[in-house]
Amino acid sequence: MEEKKKAFSIKHWAEGDRPREKLLHKGKTALSDAELIAILIGSGNREESAVELSKRILLTAENSLNELGKFSVKQLMKFKGIGEAKAISIVAALELGRRRRGEEALQRKQITSSDSVFEVMQPILGDLNHEEFWIIYLNNSNKILQKIQLSKGGITGTLVDIRLAFKNALEIGATSIILAHNHPSGTLVPSTADKQLTQKLKIAGESLDIKILDHLIVTQKSYFSFADEGLLS
């Protein structure tokens, strides 16, 4: 039994193969996703090393860090060798990565296309299992003044207060806005309700001289742009 334990213990590996030492001597980019997660959890279980356990966890998440980012602490604790502390470490690390992506997108500040809107909103909306409606407020140079969550709903929809949307725009001096919401189902087809809401906001904006530049439906990997598809004319 002792020999079996040693076989699965990282400390008995060649130094160049140990994740921590590998990162130290070869740099962070030399490590696989599983090796980076192994550093977070520190150890595996009686049958698996930390790296092997990490590989199995990633396999359950379709080898996707984006999918793994959706796992809850309780879901991660179902894996043998992952207690509450290790699960929290994984969740926290992936959340930091998500926030970093959001910050990098915001550094751009200026919206130049539907792609740039997606870069700003995907880290916020892409992984959610419920629907949220957000508004990006812009100045006359299309630079972001503010982005706010206007409403939060269930799996199939959310209610939007049109008056509140434009009250915020007037308060911060926005000259145009971009609408964005997610479809947890992954579909990129706008619903009748999506189209009706967009039209209501467009009409309300015209009376205040605040233009609706676009409305994006965001999923984890892609988006639908009302402007690109000619649905705002």
Side-chain angles (χ1 to χ4, degrees):
M1 180 63 72
E2 186 63 29
E3 286 301 314
K4 187 176 182 180
K5 284 185 184 179
K6 285 183 180 180
F8 290 100
S9 175
I10 287 177
K11 69 181 180 180
H12 292 285
W13 296 10
E15 186 170 324
D17 293 330
R18 299 177 202 168
R20 286 189 180 87
E21 286 77 3
K22 190 173 179 181
L23 186 150
L24 186 62
H25 298 300
K26 297 183 180 180
K28 58 190 178 183
T29 58
L31 276 71
S32 67
D33 292 346
E35 288 171 324
L36 290 169
I37 293 171
I39 290 175
L40 290 173
I41 64 177
S43 60
N45 54 49
R46 287 179 179 271
E47 291 79 34
E48 299 169 300
S49 70
V51 174
E52 289 167 338
L53 175 55
S54 298
K55 285 180 179 178
R56 187 159 59 88
I57 293 171
L58 276 170
L59 185 62
T60 307
E62 301 175 7
N63 287 314
S64 166
L65 292 177
N66 281 329
E67 287 298 321
L68 186 59
K70 298 178 182 179
F71 281 34
S72 66
V73 169
K74 286 185 178 179
Q75 285 176 303
L76 288 167
M77 287 175 65
K78 291 179 181 179
F79 293 92
K80 184 179 179 181
I82 301 295
E84 185 177 73
K86 291 181 181 180
I88 288 172
S89 293
I90 295 171
V91 170
L94 290 168
E95 175 62 15
L96 280 172
R98 186 192 68 81
R99 293 185 186 186
R100 180 183 177 187
R101 285 180 61 203
E103 285 183 4
E104 288 173 347
L106 276 178
Q107 285 171 7
R108 172 178 301 212
K109 299 283 185 183
Q110 188 172 37
I111 298 298
T112 57
S113 65
S114 55
D115 280 342
S116 59
V117 179
F118 180 68
E119 287 177 13
V120 170
M121 296 308 301
Q122 194 282 335
I124 297 171
L125 295 172
D127 293 338
L128 299 180
N129 57 13
H130 62 271
E131 194 167 302
E132 292 186 2
F133 192 97
W134 284 67
I135 294 186
I136 301 173
Y137 295 96
L138 308 169
N139 64 14
N140 56 10
S141 298
N142 287 347
K143 289 187 177 181
I144 297 175
L145 295 174
Q146 192 179 68
K147 56 182 177 57
I148 66 167
Q149 179 200 93
L150 198 63
S151 63
K152 178 179 178 179
I155 295 174
T156 57
T158 181
L159 297 174
V160 175
D161 188 331
I162 293 174
R163 292 169 299 179
L164 180 58
F166 287 101
K167 176 178 179 289
N168 292 333
L170 293 169
E171 285 177 351
I172 65 173
T175 58
S176 59
I177 64 177
I178 292 173
L179 318 172
H181 78 282
N182 63 309
H183 278 179
S185 65
T187 179
L188 288 173
V189 179
S191 66
T192 299
D194 292 337
K195 294 176 182 178
Q196 290 174 342
L197 175 60
T198 304
Q199 191 62 24
K200 284 181 181 179
L201 284 159
K202 182 175 180 288
I203 292 170
E206 287 171 351
S207 65
L208 296 169
D209 200 24
I210 297 174
K211 189 175 182 180
I212 308 296
L213 295 182
D214 205 348
H215 182 175
L216 257 66
I217 297 171
V218 177
T219 63
Q220 186 183 70
K221 296 180 180 178
S222 192
Y223 68 90
F224 178 94
S225 163
F226 277 62
D228 292 352
E229 298 300 324
L231 298 179
L232 286 177
S233 55

